[in-house]
Amino acid sequence: MAAPPIYSPVIPCVQPIPGGMYPGRMVRFQGNVPPGGQRFAINFQCGPNTDPRDDIAMHLNFRFVEMCVVRNHLTAMNWGVEETNGGMPLVRGQPFEALVLCDTQSFKIALNGVHFCEFPHRLPFQRISHLTIDGDVMMQFIGFEGEQPPPSQMYMSEPPAYGAYGAPPAYGAPGYGAPQGFVGGAPQGYGTQYVQGDQRRGLGTGAAVGLGVGALAAGGLAGYAMAGGFSNDSPPSEVQVAEFGGDDWME
């Protein structure tokens, strides 16, 4: 049975992840950033506590002043090394969609239908139990996709070949669709195409992926990455040490 989506959570929010994270599990976020928004964060967290904060397996911090999306992790209230390359694909005052796919080796992140980055697992994904979201954002929808694979496929050293969990669902699959607030498809300037019918464009490096609407019933989402839709063509990331501590994690 599919996990029920979350609609319009009050921000800041702490939400359990039904079934946790595993290879092939994808979380879909749809929201808006107010015109004057400075930053907001999405955390894949190892517990519900925020003061003191539980460990964070992946911290996504969207900073509109610095025009970057920071990726990091938190262990025992100590931040790791920031990854900041890639710029800022989101636009203040416009709706957005973020997809986070858990793979055996990393998280794969797409923003507005285009692959953005990968974040190698620094903490075991099996520890992740909650989402926490705060900052300058209005989240309209959080959806959970992907069936849990058999135990024999949970700890594979290499990602399975495309199709191991079935083809990815159409971008406009029932119950999801384009982010709320879109008029006539994608927001201006994003370059993302939300295609009605049986195909999706704008994913990964720009290749179109033909998809049957029935693909949603094929199960799982590991194929979302494996066909190249989430391939990372970007050069090696430049990293810098985060200088955060205590309650200044959003600073």
Side-chain angles (χ1 to χ4, degrees), residues 38-192:
Q38 303 269 319
R39 63 177 64 188
F40 72 93
I42 297 173
N43 298 304
F44 285 77
Q45 193 162 299
C46 307
N49 300 307
T50 58
D51 186 19
R53 187 170 289 273
D54 287 324
D55 290 352
I56 296 174
M58 182 173 67
H59 168 68
L60 293 174
N61 194 329
F62 296 80
R63 300 181 183 175
F64 293 93
V65 175
E66 296 96 328
M67 292 302 289
C68 66
V69 181
V70 173
R71 288 86 70 191
N72 207 343
H73 83 291
L74 181 78
T75 304
M77 292 297 291
N78 293 309
W79 288 104
V81 176
E82 286 187 351
E83 298 182 12
T84 60
N85 63 309
M88 170 56 76
L90 306 190
V91 178
R92 286 185 283 194
Q94 294 189 1
F96 70 88
E97 179 169 78
L99 305 177
V100 176
L101 173 69
C102 181
D103 195 4
T104 54
Q105 306 297 319
S106 65
F107 290 104
K108 295 174 170 63
I109 297 103
L111 300 176
N112 293 315
V114 178
H115 173 68
F116 177 68
C117 70
E118 296 188 19
F119 184 75
H121 293 307
R122 299 181 181 180
L123 299 179
F125 59 78
Q126 296 91 342
R127 292 186 56 200
I128 299 170
S129 61
H130 287 74
L131 292 170
T132 63
I133 305 173
D134 51 25
D136 304 323
V137 67
M138 295 169 289
M139 200 66 70
Q140 279 106 25
F141 177 89
I142 304 172
F144 304 94
E145 304 177 27
E147 297 297 327
Q148 188 163 355
S152 61
Q153 296 180 359
M154 284 287 286
Y155 305 99
M156 296 175 66
S157 59
E158 294 295 332
Y162 178 74
Y165 299 110
Y171 207 79
Y176 295 99
Q180 297 181 24
F182 275 71
V183 178
Q188 242 180 359
Y190 278 27
T192 306

Side-chain angles (χ1 to χ4, degrees), residues 14-38:
V14 177
Q15 296 285 347
I17 300 175
M21 296 298 291
Y22 44 80
R25 165 50 65 93
M26 187 170 76
V27 185
R28 185 186 300 261
F29 302 89
Q30 296 176 347
N32 285 271
V33 179
Q38 303 269 319

